[in-house]
Amino acid sequence: MRHNKRAPIKASRMRPEHLNLREGETPLAVCPDCESWHRLTRSMISPHRDSSDKLAKTGERRYFGDKPERRRRCPGSAQRITIDLTPEQWGQALLAADSTATGRRSARQHHNPIQAPATPVTKMAPAPPHAADVLAAYSKHLKECRKSGAPGHCDQTRRCVTGFQLAAQYDVLSRGQDKRDSVNRKEARVDALITRHRAGVAARRAATEWAKQHDGTGAPAALAKRSGTAIEDANNTCRKRPADTVSDYRGPHVPTDTLRITA
């Protein structure tokens, strides 16, 4: 096989994803003309036909019954490839090219799934009863059922349907009651700590607000209006008036005679 009289291409100058230099596999390369994979034979691309979709234009007319036109020989056939890379160097170049291409890709958008609606309160399962309450109900039922004397009532060795259901419920609840009580105590302790913390924060916040209000309204100048502080001081002062004294607001223009209105 003779080469195509083109200058040889060094493998180090080619894109690493256009080569396959894995150990134990047939070396492959991408044809620079038709961009298809072909094996390397004696460091040359194997002869092949043009794999592009465009057919060679020969200018000859085609008639019905003629044989289909064969594709032309690819000019990249027998292209010399100089392998100046080891499989390790080629693998490192391939990883570097892949990481660079990954960095150029736009960030993939992840759409969070829509959360399922919450279960309505009417459809929520009720909290399991306490085992002690079920045991008390079971004991009460035994007493009443034995006294009733109805057919199929509870006796020393037999239980009615209701008694059997209560006994089975108590057996199931008694197995995990200790764990539920421990969880409930922990939750109650956490709720108490949260309530105490919130109360302390609210008290400190209220004390701070009261201090700010006192500092802002404690000085007489802070209560002064455009007319001065005399009226504000008089209004904010509570003094006991001695007996047999005349009011400061009494004068000749204030009527003191008794006025009687008759219909």
Side-chain angles (χ1 to χ4, degrees), residues 15-17 91-105:
R15 297 173 58 178
E17 59 268 21
Q92 293 177 0
L94 185 64
L95 291 176
D98 182 69
S99 61
T100 305
T102 303
R104 290 196 303 265
R105 296 192 187 101

Side-chain angles (χ1 to χ4, degrees), residues 1 8-9 40-45 78-83:
M1 181 176 59
I9 302 175
L40 295 178
T41 305
R42 293 188 295 174
S43 299
M44 290 187 294
I45 298 178
Q79 172 64 49
R80 289 176 290 178
I81 305 294
T82 302
I83 307 298

Side-chain angles (χ1 to χ4, degrees), residues 131 133-142 154 159-173:
D133 298 337
V134 177
L135 180 60
Y138 176 69
S139 302
K140 181 179 179 181
H141 170 75
L142 287 180
C154 298
R159 299 290 182 270
C160 65
V161 177
T162 304
F164 181 79
Q165 292 177 353
L166 290 174
Q169 186 178 10
Y170 172 74
D171 181 63
V172 173
L173 293 175

Side-chain angles (χ1 to χ4, degrees), residues 10-134:
K10 293 184 178 181
S12 58
R13 303 296 299 273
M14 296 178 63
R15 297 173 58 178
E17 59 268 21
H18 287 178
L19 288 171
N20 180 19
L21 302 178
R22 294 186 179 90
E23 295 181 358
E25 297 183 6
T26 303
L28 302 175
V30 174
C31 177
D33 289 76
C34 63
E35 298 182 352
S36 59
W37 285 92
H38 298 282
R39 68 173 58 194
L40 295 178
T41 305
R42 293 188 295 174
S43 299
M44 290 187 294
I45 298 178
S46 300
H48 58 278
R49 299 285 177 177
D50 190 358
S51 60
S52 60
D53 295 335
K54 297 181 180 179
L55 297 176
K57 296 181 179 179
T58 58
E60 300 178 357
R61 296 186 62 181
R62 300 291 304 277
Y63 295 95
F64 179 78
D66 290 348
K67 294 182 179 180
E69 183 180 4
R70 297 184 63 184
R71 298 179 184 269
R72 63 183 177 88
R73 179 186 173 95
C74 180
S77 299
Q79 172 64 49
R80 289 176 290 178
I81 305 294
T82 302
I83 307 298
D84 57 347
L85 291 175
T86 62
E88 292 77 11
Q89 294 175 348
W90 169 78
Q92 293 177 0
L94 185 64
L95 291 176
D98 182 69
S99 61
T100 305
T102 303
R104 290 196 303 265
R105 296 192 187 101
S106 60
R108 182 178 297 178
Q109 297 182 358
H110 298 279
H111 300 280
N112 295 329
I114 301 176
Q115 296 183 357
T119 306
V121 180
T122 55
K123 295 184 179 181
M124 290 184 179
H130 198 277
D133 298 337
V134 177

Side-chain angles (χ1 to χ4, degrees), residues 180-206:
R180 287 193 297 271
D181 292 342
S182 177
V183 172
N184 293 335
R185 285 193 297 269
K186 291 181 180 179
E187 292 181 354
R189 189 181 303 110
V190 171
D191 293 342
L193 291 176
I194 294 175
T195 303
R196 189 184 309 169
H197 173 71
R198 290 178 178 175
V201 171
R204 289 192 296 270
R205 188 176 301 171

Side-chain angles (χ1 to χ4, degrees), residues 216-234:
T217 59
L223 300 175
K225 302 296 186 291
R226 295 181 181 180
S227 58
T229 60
I231 298 177
E232 293 290 345
D233 293 341

